[in-house]
Amino acid sequence: MSKRFSSLCVMFAFLGLFLFLGASCAKKQVQVTEPPKAAPEVKPEQAPAPKAEGEDAAAKEARLRAEKEQQLEKQRKAFESENIYFDFDKYEIKPEAKTVLQKKAEWLLANTRYSVRIEGHCDERGTNEYNLALGERRANAAKEFLTALGVPGARISIISYGEERPAVQGANEEAWAKNRRDEFKLIY
Amino acid sequence: MRGSLLSLISVLATLFIFYPMEASARIFIDINSPFSRKFAVAIPEFRNTSPQGSSQDLGEKLSRVISNDLDLSGYFSLMDKGAFLEGNREGEALNFKNWSVIGAELLIKASYSSVGQSLEVDLKLYDVYWGRQILGKRVLGETHRHRELMHRLSNDIIRLLTGYDGITMTRLAFVGDATGNKEIYLSDYDGHNAAQLTSDKSIVLSPRWSPDGKRIIYNSYRDNKGPKLYMRDLSTGAVRTVSGRSGLNIGATWSPDGTRVALTLSEKGDSDIFLIDLNGNIVQKLTDHWAIDVSPSFSPDGSRMAFVSNRAGGTPQIYVMNISDGAVERITFESKYCTSPSWSSRNRIAFAAVSQGLLDIYTIAPDGSRMRRVTSGTGNNEDPCWSPDGRYIVFSSNRNGRYHLYLTNEGGDHQRLLTNLPGNQTAPSWAP
């Protein structure tokens, strides 16, 4: 819980910083664009001033949105590119996978409009049907871990691909180890 | 219309000429004996009697089909044509001495005539030792379906010599990935005439022929939401969802009467085996265990079911369940990884088990006794499926790199490559 709170604080701190930076940039731009427009004789209280201010706010907002979106895109990529891995014929979450899942849980709790699809995979050894069931267990194990950390179960779906979608080709332990995995796909 | 008329004619035109003889006087292959030996059969070139000598290359094709059929049966050894002292030319007299001296026990002499799409084949089978004809048959069919015609002749030979129908008229379904996606293909039992059946452009798995041979159930990810169970009518091509529950709907197998399907569902979180009707309604929950339960296969009378579970120690093993009282017995103990049970019409269970890091095919009695190894030392050998007569096993193996289908007898001393198609071929299902 305290971890969750501190991560929220960090998120807000970042947000504050963006707002500040965004605002200062916008002001500079206004100084450059204002003078020529200000020349014609118009009543001070009328249209131009609010319009300028409106543009100002819109630009600011757009920039902020773009920056935030850029930041989010990075976070999404990081989230989706980090798999967790399993031992042969096992679906227990290993200690290093727990760290990964904790990070994912924090992010999901901070970004509530995202759902996640967990895809369970196996290495090519064994038979499809057993591996389909094993892949589902691997996906379910990650789901249970995330829900235990407070991510609502309704935001998590699972699918098993068994041995049908290997991450890497190869008939050796190195390849097999990379294929015994859960992948995490964001849905939004 | 034309095809069916021709087929009808060909059936009517089939002439049986059985020669009366005493049982002791003719070659009889006792296929129930574990010690049967192979009979040497000589097949000289087919004589072409087509008008103006057309269709010259067809003879070689016809003879190759029948030679391959007899070889695949495991009951015959095909003699090298180079050793023959006598051919099959017009007017050439048949001298049995010329065949007995090179060790031939059976001799097949055939001629054919092809006019347009019509093909007539005349075949005679001789017992060389006794110096007499034991089968004579004339069949009429279509040239482009010549393989089917030859398979029929092969079956007649095998039935005459063993007392049982062979497998030459049967068909296979399997999964192939030549297109880049796994799809279902159908082929003749010898791997020829393979044609793609599904075009889901997704992942298609586990085809199973219905007991009447008219439908196939299979898994597909076509809706992108996991493996659902579909059924395809082979005559109309119509496809419908049989079980589209969330989670798994996998590894389905038909009940012997064809009215029910057993499969693994995981809608409630745990993967258990259920019996459903063909509309997908649950009839009975067959297994109820926290462990993985998959890959059901019914006994021929439907009273028992073999399946895979990792309930003991977390490794997959083969279990047999009494359907009426739910009593479960583990039957495999030799390997840490046993999967894919297939229950034969002769009450043997074939399965794949890991030994020394590789999967191999084994067979075992339903009570766990008399285990027998079928393959060894040749890559991974998986997905065993029995022929309808319970005498052969088709399986997939990557012994030569990619996965292809192979045929073997239960003893494993007669293994043959069936599919040499692009990509991988796996998960065979033998049509009834």
Side-chain angles (χ1 to χ4, degrees), chain B residues 270-320:
Chain B
D270 192 16
S271 42
D272 277 310
I273 298 171
F274 291 76
L275 194 63
I276 61 172
D277 64 23
L278 298 186
N279 294 316
N281 305 305
I282 291 174
V283 177
Q284 192 181 344
K285 187 173 186 183
L286 293 173
T287 67
D288 192 0
H289 201 282
W290 57 265
I292 292 174
D293 293 331
V294 289
S295 304
S297 176
F298 283 106
S299 62
D301 64 1
S303 68
R304 288 179 290 170
M305 169 185 84
F307 66 100
V308 171
S309 178
N310 68 346
R311 56 185 64 188
T315 69
Q317 299 291 338
I318 312 292
Y319 291 77
V320 168

Side-chain angles (χ1 to χ4, degrees), chain B residues 223-235:
Chain B
D223 76 349
N224 239 333
K225 288 180 187 147
K228 306 279 160 55
L229 183 71
Y230 298 91
M231 179 161 68
R232 186 186 175 104
D233 186 302
L234 290 175
S235 58

Side-chain angles (χ1 to χ4, degrees), chain A residues 88-91 117 124-134 136-137 140 159-165, chain B residues 182 203 205-206 208 221 224 226 247-248 250-251 266 270-271 290-292 295 310 314 316 337 339-340 382:
Chain A
F88 175 67
D89 199 19
K90 295 279 183 286
Y91 51 89
R117 179 161 111 149
E124 62 177 7
R125 291 175 295 169
T127 45
N128 301 47
E129 285 164 23
Y130 183 77
N131 279 339
L132 284 170
L134 186 62
E136 181 169 89
R137 300 233 159 179
N140 256 328
I159 188 169
S160 172
Y161 284 106
E163 59 184 83
E164 301 302 328
R165 290 276 185 266
Chain B
K182 286 195 168 183
I203 307 169
L205 302 168
S206 308
R208 302 281 196 283
Y221 281 71
N224 239 333
L248 305 173
I250 60 162
S266 65
D270 192 16
S271 42
W290 57 265
I292 292 174
S295 304
N310 68 346
Y337 199 106
T339 56
S340 307
E382 359 184 352

